[in-house]
């Protein structure tokens, strides 16, 4: 199916089929071995992706002077584990980590909750204006975020939100990421309508149907979304850079970037930096491996259904 | 579709009420965070505005200044265009090649797929700063490896000829994002088509150009639009790697907008001028989407009969 189904009702099952197709379901035994050239290519791809990260760890373990040895050594000859303590101390890592965590958690909560509710209404309730709003929300995906940056910046300044976390969190509670609304609606469309009918006959209201019937059924959708929302917020650099002036309010992204913008005449301390960088990468990394299946499949389902 | 069954009538009115209650937050958000800023930024683009005193209407003066006076503007268009011309095709080409590679069912293919996607999940700031050090001319990994292989080294980000290619290299490290979407598209191609081609004795080239490419062309269209709009809005890499240098070579539009509007270098913010540049970027993005969509019928295949 690579056609573009124009009827949303037909494309949702495809999305779900794509999302539920677990690679593990294929018999893994009897997977043929590739040819030598296949493995050479595979090795090359893996090396390109992994060697920079391994090198980062190596730098993180070197001493300050060893980093600038010429010719450079690829591996440290002594392991300075203390870099993992001193590096984070140098930029007040615990403080930044706490900031990042609070900002991220709240925007994940807001983004996912709003999108799930909107997706439910747009997919399962009939009301005048349903199509219009859906197209407006999805259409706003095409709008580059930068267009609103300057007026919003002024607006936040006028209401006293400059140098607070609110501009980074509040938009999420108001459907700040239309992609999530689109995803949520896709999932909701794939659930049989008889389920709602049954719940309605039992006298359940919309809120109860949504919370007690729908949320458990759409777990893959909101897990995928939560991961995406976590990433978006944890990795965001431009917005906190623009909105947060005080360094004690910075999230990790801004803190890490400032770590290596050297003050006059100073070279940044790369060994400290790389050690801290690894710590900054760990949460998304752990999350990725823990929820890999949802991640790859969830994004895959997005790829196999596009809307005209 | 009207529900005419008795007993469903109760839900019609309450459906509407409940539905609007459920989509009220995004409606508010759409109004406050999308519609208002769009209109406002259009107005600001025609003004001189420092964010402290009221905006002064100056008509098209910002645009005149941009195209005739500002020494940083043409280079920023050039740098942004460079990314579209070089990064987008490479990202799509390598992404598709990787996806086809990972679509084969060999032992270990999942490891390759996962590792190829890995850089995408890492924080942008973390990977970009890592690459900044990899590209360090004296002690960076890139030159170290090149020296060991007796290949010519480069001063990468510090050279005005290599600064843009360096940024493209750093961006391409995240090609796994493009790969994943292509992979989903490839997995949706019916296997019967390939089997039929095998029976007919088609070679790998004709299979690729006559089956694979046409079948994934709708996704290709989406990817062209997504990647181009993303490339046009590149900010993190130039901001962290070069700050726009050397000599404006990497001063992409977004960086120019940021420097004019927000830079804390003690200059007065020029929000009107920055808004005008935002609109130049916005118009380019709209043009790209419109042109891609307009000519899509020439190269995308769909077996939908038009209604």
């Amino acid at each position: 199916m690579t056609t573009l189904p124009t009827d949303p009702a037909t494309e949702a099952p495809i999305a779900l089929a794509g999302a539920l197709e677990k690679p593990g379901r294929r018999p893994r035994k009897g997977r043929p071995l590739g040819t030598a050239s296949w493995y050479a290519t595979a090795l090359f791809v893996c090396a390109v992706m992994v060697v920079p990260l391994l090198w980062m760890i190596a730098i993180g373990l070197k001493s300050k002077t060893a980093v600038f040895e010429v010719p450079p050594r690829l591996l440290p000859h002594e392991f300075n584990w203390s870099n993992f303590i001193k590096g984070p101390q140098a930029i007040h890592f615990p403080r930044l980590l706490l900031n990042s965590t609070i900002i991220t958690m709240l925007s994940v909560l807001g983004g996912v909750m709003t999108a799930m509710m909107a997706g439910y209404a747009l997919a399962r309730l009939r009301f005048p204006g349903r199509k219009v709003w859906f197209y407006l929300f999805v259409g706003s995906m095409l709008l580059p975020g930068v267009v609103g940056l300057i007026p919003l910046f002024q607006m936040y300044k006028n209401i006293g939100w400059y140098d607070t976390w609110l501009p980074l969190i509040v938009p999420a509670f108001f459907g700040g990421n239309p992609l999530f609304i689109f995803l949520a609606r896709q999932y909701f469309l794939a659930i049989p309508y008889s389920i709602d009918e049954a719940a309605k006959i039992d006298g359940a209201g919309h809120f109860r149907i949504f919370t007690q019937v729908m949320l458990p059924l759409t777990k893959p959708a909101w897990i995928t979304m939560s991961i995406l929302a976590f990433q978006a917020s944890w990795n965001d650099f431009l917005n906190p850079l623009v909105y947060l002036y005080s360094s004690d309010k910075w999230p990790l992204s801004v803190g890490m970037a400032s770590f290596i913008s050297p003050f006059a005449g100073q070279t940044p301390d790369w060994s400290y930096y790389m050690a801290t960088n690894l710590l900054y990468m760990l949460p998304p990394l752990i999350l990725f491996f823990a929820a890999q299946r949802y991640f790859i499949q969830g994004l895959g389902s997005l790829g196999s259904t596009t809307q005209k | 579709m009207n529900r005419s069954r008795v007993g469903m009538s109760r839900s019609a009115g309450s459906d509407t009420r409940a539905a609007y209650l459920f989509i009220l937050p995004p409606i508010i958000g759409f109004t406050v965070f999308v519609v208002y800023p769009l209109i406002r930024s259009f107005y600001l683009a025609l003004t001189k505005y420092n964010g402290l005193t009221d905006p002064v209407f100056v008509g098209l003066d910002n645009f005149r200044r941009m195209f005739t006076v500002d020494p940083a503007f043409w280079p920023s268009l050039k740098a942004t265009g460079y990314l579209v011309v070089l990064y987008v095709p490479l990202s799509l080409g390598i992404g598709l090649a990787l996806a086809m590679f990972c679509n084969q069912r060999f032992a270990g293919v999942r490891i390759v797929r996962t590792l190829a996607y890995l850089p995408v999940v890492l924080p942008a700031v973390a990977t970009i700063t890592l690459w900044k050090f990899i590209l360090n001319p004296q002690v960076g990994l890139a030159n170290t490896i090149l020296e060991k292989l007796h290949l010519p080294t480069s001063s990468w980000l510090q050279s005005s000829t290599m600064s843009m290619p360096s940024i493209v290299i750093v961006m391409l490290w995240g090609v796994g994002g493009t790969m994943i979407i292509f992979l989903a598209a490839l997995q949706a191609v019916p296997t019967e088509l390939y089997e039929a081609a095998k029976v007919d004795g088609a070679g790998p080239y004709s299979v690729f150009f006559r089956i694979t490419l046409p079948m994934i062309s709708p996704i290709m269209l989406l990817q062209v639009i997504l990647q181009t709009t993303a490339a046009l809005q590149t900010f993190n890499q130039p901001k962290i790697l070069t700050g726009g240098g050397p000599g404006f070579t990497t001063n992409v539009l977004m960086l120019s907008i940021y420097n004019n509007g927000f830079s804390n270098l003690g200059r007065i913010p020029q929000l009107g001028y920055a808004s005008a540049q935002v609109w130049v970027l916005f118009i380019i993005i709209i043009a790209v989407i419109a042109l891609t969509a307009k000519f899509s019928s020439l190269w995308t295949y769909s077996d939908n009969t038009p209604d």
Side-chain angles (χ1 to χ4, degrees):
Chain A
M1 282 298 289
T2 45
T3 57
L4 287 173
T6 40
D7 174 17
T10 55
E11 69 187 336
I14 308 164
L16 208 66
L20 296 177
E21 193 218 7
K22 298 191 188 81
R25 281 221 194 128
R26 289 190 212 118
R28 246 190 278 177
K29 279 175 221 156
R31 210 23 105 83
L33 288 179
T35 56
S37 65
W38 191 89
Y39 281 111
T41 316
L43 196 67
F44 175 75
V45 172
C46 293
V48 168
M49 299 300 168
V50 174
V51 167
L53 296 171
L54 294 177
W55 188 68
M56 177 180 84
I57 298 168
I59 295 289
L61 288 168
K62 284 184 179 182
S63 64
K64 276 187 199 188
T65 47
V67 171
F68 290 105
E69 274 177 352
V70 177
R73 306 160 67 105
L74 289 179
L75 295 171
H77 46 109
E78 50 183 21
F79 294 92
N80 294 276
W81 295 104
S82 61
N83 288 354
F84 285 90
I85 307 292
K86 289 179 190 158
Q89 274 174 349
I91 57 158
H92 308 292
F93 189 84
R95 170 87 244 183
L96 298 174
L97 180 70
L98 184 71
N99 295 349
S100 267
T101 308
I102 295 171
I103 295 169
T104 301
M105 287 304 158
L106 286 171
S107 42
V108 167
L109 179 77
V112 175
M113 202 173 70
T114 313
M116 290 306 282
M117 287 175 66
Y120 171 76
L122 291 167
R124 309 192 72 81
L125 301 179
R126 283 185 166 65
F127 60 97
R130 177 169 90 144
K131 271 228 161 88
V132 176
W133 284 114
F134 174 70
Y135 286 127
L136 283 176
F137 295 153
V138 173
S140 66
M141 258 198 280
L142 290 175
L143 197 71
V146 61
V147 174
L149 191 63
I150 291 162
L152 286 175
F153 177 77
Q154 278 305 314
M155 181 177 90
Y156 292 133
K157 246 190 162 151
N158 293 340
I159 56 175
W161 286 10
Y162 178 68
D163 206 24
T164 72
W165 291 336
L166 292 168
L168 309 175
I169 295 166
V170 173
F173 282 86
F174 290 95
N177 197 334
L179 173 70
F180 294 168
I181 297 180
F182 176 79
L183 274 177
R185 179 177 166 274
Q186 292 288 84
Y187 268 85
F188 276 119
L189 282 172
I191 295 167
Y193 284 82
S194 51
I195 294 177
D196 313 39
E197 302 294 347
K200 268 184 200 153
I201 288 165
D202 291 344
H206 287 297
F207 192 72
R208 262 194 62 194
I209 295 177
F210 175 73
T211 49
Q212 297 184 359
V213 182
M214 290 298 156
L215 285 184
L217 283 174
T218 49
K219 195 174 160 191
W222 49 261
I223 288 185
T224 304
M225 261 186 259
S226 304
I227 300 169
L228 288 173
F230 178 92
Q231 266 199 335
S233 176
W234 190 263
N235 302 353
D236 189 14
F237 175 56
L238 175 62
N239 288 309
L241 184 71
V242 165
Y243 289 121
L244 300 174
Y245 176 77
S246 327
S247 56
D248 61 328
K249 291 176 184 159
W250 284 350
L252 275 165
S253 60
V254 182
M256 292 302 289
S258 73
F259 199 142
I260 57 146
S261 43
F263 300 105
Q266 268 188 319
T267 42
D269 202 329
W270 285 104
S271 58
Y272 278 8
Y273 182 83
M274 292 302 173
T276 318
N277 210 19
L278 182 67
L279 297 179
Y280 173 39
M281 285 180 178
L282 274 183
L285 207 61
I286 293 167
L287 193 67
F288 172 61
F289 281 110
Q292 207 197 121
R293 182 167 59 82
Y294 286 114
F295 217 97
I296 300 227
Q297 300 305 322
L299 287 177
S301 70
L302 188 73
S304 55
T305 55
T306 51
Q307 273 230 327
K308 248 191 175 154
Chain B
M1 276 283 292
N2 276 324
R3 295 184 178 191
S4 51
R5 280 168 56 195
V6 190
M8 284 296 141
S9 58
R10 184 186 66 89
S11 59
S14 75
D15 259 14
T16 306
R17 244 202 329 273
Y20 272 100
L21 211 61
F22 272 66
I23 62 166
L24 189 62
I27 289 176
I28 296 171
F30 181 74
T31 315
V32 177
F33 301 115
V34 179
V35 179
Y36 158 75
L38 187 69
I39 297 164
R40 177 80 180 158
S41 78
F42 182 71
Y43 167 69
L44 286 182
L46 307 173
T47 63
K48 199 169 163 55
Y49 182 40
N50 60 11
L52 304 164
T53 53
D54 284 345
V56 181
F57 187 82
V58 293
L60 296 174
D61 194 59
N62 286 328
F63 295 92
R64 185 194 56 80
R65 179 181 148 192
M66 214 182 294
F67 288 99
T68 57
V69 185
D70 186 348
F73 181 70
W74 284 110
S76 70
L77 271 190
K78 194 177 146 194
T80 310
Y82 188 101
L83 287 180
V84 172
V85 173
L86 195 72
Y87 166 74
V88 175
L90 281 173
S91 164
L92 294 174
I94 298 172
L96 180 56
L98 260 180
M100 290 179 71
F101 182 78
C102 290
N103 200 26
Q104 302 172 32
R105 295 193 177 176
F106 288 139
V109 75
R110 283 183 70 192
I111 298 169
V112 183
R113 200 185 348 175
T114 305
L115 290 181
Y117 192 69
L118 193 61
V120 184
V121 303
L122 301 174
V125 171
T127 57
I128 296 167
T129 44
L130 168 59
W131 275 91
K132 187 173 183 168
F133 197 48
I134 288 174
L135 296 173
N136 178 306
Q138 284 79 41
V139 291
L141 179 67
N143 279 354
T144 310
I145 290 177
L146 289 173
E147 264 169 20
K148 286 219 193 307
L149 299 171
H150 300 291
L151 290 165
T153 57
S154 162
S155 54
W156 304 112
L157 296 162
Q158 293 158 23
S159 119
S160 52
T161 48
M162 279 306 289
S163 56
M164 268 327 272
S166 303
I167 285 186
V168 170
I169 291 170
V170 176
M171 287 169 78
L172 281 174
W173 199 50
V175 76
T178 323
M179 174 200 77
I180 282 289
I181 297 183
F182 276 134
L183 196 59
L186 289 174
Q187 285 172 348
V189 179
T191 44
E192 302 88 71
L193 288 177
Y194 290 121
E195 282 154 13
K198 215 182 241 172
V199 173
D200 293 345
Y205 287 101
S206 56
V207 168
F208 177 75
F209 285 106
R210 294 191 178 173
I211 296 174
T212 309
L213 219 45
M215 288 307 281
I216 65 163
S217 56
I219 302 287
M220 185 60 102
L221 173 69
L222 175 83
Q223 292 262 52
V224 168
I225 291 176
L226 285 180
Q227 293 294 322
T228 312
T229 46
L232 286 165
Q233 294 179 75
T234 304
F235 170 78
N236 294 344
Q237 287 85 354
K239 168 81 177 125
I240 296 168
L241 292 169
T242 60
F248 292 136
T249 48
T250 58
N251 193 39
V252 293
L253 257 176
M254 274 297 293
L255 199 55
S256 180
I257 290 163
Y258 172 84
N259 284 334
N260 286 312
F262 306 104
S263 179
N264 300 325
L265 297 173
R267 290 183 313 182
I268 299 166
Q270 308 178 40
L271 294 167
Y273 185 56
S275 294
Q277 295 203 332
V278 164
W279 271 82
V280 169
L281 180 60
F282 187 33
I283 288 163
I284 295 173
I285 290 174
I286 292 174
V288 165
I289 294 175
L291 285 173
T292 317
K294 186 172 170 4
F295 294 112
S296 65
S297 58
L298 299 177
W299 55 270
T300 51
Y301 163 83
S302 106
D303 59 11
N304 280 10
T305 42
D307 307 318

